[in-house]
Amino acid sequence: MTETNGRGSNLGKKGKGLVLGIDLGGSKILTAVVSSQGKILSRDHSVTPAPQGHEAVIQSIVESTHRALKEAKVEVSALTAIGVGAPGISNPETGILFTSPHLPRWQDVPLRNIMEERLGRKAFLINDANAAALGELYFGAARSVRNFIYITISTGIGGGIVIDGRIYTGAIGAAGEVGHMTIDDNGPICNCGNKGCWETLASGTALAREARHRIEGGATTSILEYAGGDIQKVGPEAVHSAARQGDSLAKELIARTGYYIGVGVANLINIFNPELIVIGGGLSNIGNMLLEPAFKVAGERAYKQSFQAVRFSSAALGRNSGVVGAATFALREMSRLRGR
Ligand SMILES: [Zn+2]
């Protein structure tokens, strides 16, 4: 099984290769040329044409790749490898993306092989949150840590579990899907088909859904104004903007989302007893208004000793955790194949 080890590696020391990292998300594609030291030489950002299916998305990735290479003045032939971080259930050994709640109609797509054919370089596939965990392990907030959990809270919730310095990948590479642990057995229907998954209650999507629901129910709030008066445009940003201006419903909704984040975090603490939990993803940028209730609930629900042993950190690489991690994964896998 593919694995990663934060220490005892020559990554960041002897490696000279340039790698292309791709962070494929349900709404955005981030592509970067990354050095073996985790330094970003160029970045390209584009929208994921997810509703148009996988061919359109793959074409967008390829175009984004060429823009990033051009900006860095690097030929594709100069790349050591390509690392693709993708959401959903995938097998890093076969390079097949089985399914993804955030990429509709993707079924058993051999994404790694497709990228190799289109770009002519060796490619590797890893789950996007595992990639981000790897980025934080090598170059971010978890550099000296053996046991930690990376959580990304944005449209959905993803996770990467690092045990004894290695990403825990499970039997088929699908481990770490923390966003799909059941929190409420009668909760909202999830994109994965289950009910009441963590991400249906504690993600940006959940926050926006609840805000729309309350507005439609006649609640008094300024949230709608921050969405240009269009209820369909009510997203986490509008709720956050309203909350910052003291809107009581917005503050209540963010605290409620924080509460559910804390419930899931307590579960993770009890199961894994991590030294560190690194929290990334766009929603976490709300900061204390969201995270204070989360830490409070986690402290009330987790074993006291385990809670006292855990530290929390924001993702040091921010939105680059995934792209740096995907690149690092590719470089590490190339080293493994070359028997170093
Ligand atoms: Zn789910």
Side-chain angles (χ1 to χ4, degrees), residues 29 32 41 60 100 116-117 127 140 146 152 168 174 205-206 237 273 291 307 309 313 339:
I29 298 167
L41 306 185
S60 291
S100 178
E116 287 182 348
E117 281 163 23
N127 170 272
R146 302 292 295 173
T152 173
Y168 177 70
T205 307
E237 301 80 10
N273 182 211
L291 297 177
F307 184 75
S313 170

Side-chain angles (χ1 to χ4, degrees), residues 154-232:
S154 57
T155 314
I157 298 182
I161 296 159
V162 174
I163 297 173
D164 209 17
R166 294 177 177 182
I167 296 265
Y168 177 70
T169 51
I172 59 159
E177 288 291 328
V178 298
H180 300 281
M181 67 172 139
T182 302
I183 299 290
D184 176 355
D185 64 348
N186 277 312
I189 303 281
C190 184
N191 284 329
C192 76
N194 186 28
K195 270 189 201 166
C197 290
W198 195 21
E199 73 172 37
T200 70
L201 297 163
S203 65
T205 307
L207 175 60
R209 184 199 62 230
E210 200 55 29
R212 287 194 294 268
H213 177 69
R214 296 287 287 274
I215 293 165
E216 282 165 349
T220 304
T221 173
S222 63
I223 294 171
L224 200 51
E225 289 167 32
Y226 291 97
D230 181 352
I231 189 132
Q232 295 309 319

Side-chain angles (χ1 to χ4, degrees), residues 13 25 30 39 41 128 168 175 222 243 263 299:
K13 290 174 189 158
L30 181 60
K39 186 165 176 277
L41 306 185
D128 58 349
Y168 177 70
S222 63
V263 172

